[in-house]
Amino acid sequence: MPSPRSVPPTPDPERPTAGETDRISTRPADAQSMDDLLDAARDAMDAAYTPYSEYTVGAALETSDGSVYTGCNIENANYSNSLHAEEVAIGAAVSDGHRSFERVAVTSGKRDGVTPCGMCRQTFAEFCDESFEIITDGDEPTVYELGDLLPNTITSEHLDK
Ligand code: THU
Ligand code: ZN
């Protein structure tokens, strides 16, 4: 793993339970704290449909204009076409007209520091530059940059040459 940027722990805020926050919220990008984004990911995770792996994931994706779109993983009996939380979040954002993103928070609810898988990293790389931030939920929140987690990947620029 590339060395992540560690962020000091903050006291556990009282977070609302599932259903108390809207799936989409809008606020100025700089006012949206990392903890708020992680809380939104945890709330989204509560809706995960994971009868097979029982591994729940939630993602909260912040757009460049400060909107937040969330997603959870949704599994399938055929196992192979389960939707990942990050895919669901970016799908909701793009289908709502967004193409520019600042950061995403991802959680499994276990504080295991899970990061987006390779497929989801590539999905982010379609829309996000290398400085796009990936906030993970470990013993303390940790921030990675997409360029560190998925260096030198194919983008539309390659296809344009
Ligand atoms: N999962 C995600 O939602 N995002 C990832 O990037 C990693 C994996 C889900 C898929 C499956 O439902 C469960 O986690 C176990 O792999
Ligand atoms: Zn994934």
Side-chain angles (χ1 to χ4, degrees):
M1 269 291 194
S3 49
R5 175 154 55 88
S6 273
V7 177
T10 51
D12 248 5
E14 282 228 334
R15 67 186 185 91
T17 56
E20 284 181 356
T21 51
D22 290 332
R23 186 151 181 275
I24 301 168
S25 62
T26 306
R27 62 171 82 181
D30 290 342
Q32 179 85 44
S33 80
M34 231 166 34
D35 282 330
D36 286 345
L37 210 56
L38 272 171
D39 276 343
R42 293 182 189 118
D43 284 337
M45 187 200 72
D46 289 340
Y49 175 74
T50 59
Y52 307 107
S53 75
E54 295 183 355
Y55 187 78
T56 56
V57 182
L61 176 64
E62 186 181 309
T63 67
S64 295
D65 68 4
S67 300
V68 175
Y69 288 79
T70 61
C72 60
N73 53 337
I74 304 169
E75 297 189 341
N76 189 280
N78 77 0
Y79 282 34
S80 62
N81 71 340
S82 296
L83 301 174
H84 291 195
E86 301 91 325
E87 290 182 279
V88 173
I90 199 168
V94 172
S95 62
D96 217 11
H98 294 279
R99 296 274 174 92
S100 179
F101 304 102
E102 293 298 313
R103 51 189 179 163
V104 68
V106 180
T107 184
S108 72
K110 301 179 199 301
R111 298 264 162 113
D112 60 4
V114 67
T115 61
C117 75
M119 177 186 73
C120 289
R121 293 176 193 186
Q122 181 67 29
T123 300
F124 287 131
E126 182 66 24
F127 297 100
C128 309
D129 64 23
E130 296 192 331
S131 64
F132 176 72
E133 290 186 342
I134 294 168
I135 302 161
T136 63
D137 193 10
D139 290 334
E140 58 190 54
T142 300
V143 182
Y144 298 89
E145 292 199 0
L146 181 60
D148 291 327
L149 295 187
L150 189 68
N152 303 320
T153 195
I154 185 169
T155 67
S156 61
E157 284 173 26
H158 294 91
L159 303 185
D160 287 343
K161 285 194 193 293

